[in-house]
Amino acid sequence: MPRLAIGPEFPRELSALAQPVRRDAVVALRRFLLNVAGAPHPERVRGGRDPRVATLRLAEGHRGVVVRQRDVYWLRTVLPDPDAWSYARRHRYGVNPVIGVVEEWDAEALERVEPALRRSARSAGLFDPICDGDLLGLGLDVHALPLFRLITTEADVAALEPLLPPTQHSPLAVLARGGSLSEAWRELDAWRATDEETGPIRPARRRP
């Protein structure tokens, strides 16, 4: 039977839904977990950036966006149908290779930003003095390195903040303002999952 994982912010999102939608969503999720007749089934997202992302019809006009990892489904959010499909198409997911937390990428927006960064990259890259190995040691995504190499100003890093996982943006921001690799590492480590957090889904959470 499937297993369900939720992030720490999901209960708050669920409580914000209208009461009938919230009730139907909870009932549908119970049916999904029990794998009974009439349970919602994962629906493929055409044109999605991540093949593991699917949607579940949870209530009239509302869908959950889930990320599948074997038999575990991470319920990312519940949204009205058009918003849910859009959200599912535009995001991709990965695991930070250094601290092991889940990262959500706004892949669609980054695809639009890259040409603009490439056009504005008339001077040396901001991170040119730092080798790839050191950047990868800070948990930066190997597939995103070509994008990060196009960055020429601290303002570029600030503009990317809404589009990047915090575990990617935080160490970049430290380096962009002239911080050391050690300072950038400490910033990354602040997002490490706490010892109390267990299970297959460990979203990034800054330490208090």
Side-chain angles (χ1 to χ4, degrees), residues 14-168:
L14 186 65
S15 66
L17 296 173
Q19 196 279 332
V21 174
R22 183 169 64 248
R23 178 199 61 219
D24 291 349
V26 170
V27 170
L29 288 172
R30 286 174 178 165
R31 289 175 175 167
F32 175 71
L33 289 172
L34 294 172
N35 199 25
V36 298
H41 62 277
E43 297 184 38
R44 181 184 174 189
V45 181
R46 293 186 178 181
R49 271 69 179 180
D50 191 325
R52 297 167 299 175
V53 176
T55 72
L56 298 173
R57 187 178 185 277
L58 298 181
E60 183 65 33
H62 284 73
R63 289 179 174 272
V65 179
V66 295
V67 186
R68 182 177 183 177
Q69 184 67 21
R70 294 185 291 276
D71 65 335
V72 177
Y73 291 82
W74 178 25
L75 179 57
R76 187 64 193 87
T77 189
V78 178
L79 296 167
D81 285 351
D83 298 332
W85 285 115
S86 176
Y87 192 101
R89 279 191 296 269
R90 71 183 297 147
H91 289 97
R92 70 173 176 89
Y93 297 84
V95 176
N96 186 285
V98 173
I99 61 173
V101 297
V102 175
E103 295 177 329
E104 180 180 74
W105 296 76
D106 191 337
E108 181 182 277
L110 288 172
E111 289 169 6
R112 294 197 301 267
V113 165
E114 183 172 356
L117 282 176
R118 195 175 297 280
R119 287 193 298 270
S120 65
R122 301 187 182 94
S123 57
L126 191 61
F127 306 119
D128 281 0
I130 307 174
C131 70
D132 285 355
D134 285 340
L135 292 178
L136 294 174
L138 293 173
L140 298 183
D141 185 87
V142 64
H143 302 294
L145 273 186
L147 175 71
F148 297 154
R149 289 296 187 190
L150 296 174
I151 293 173
T152 56
T153 68
E154 188 176 353
D156 290 340
V157 177
L160 287 174
E161 182 175 7
L163 313 181
L164 294 175
T167 42
Q168 297 287 313

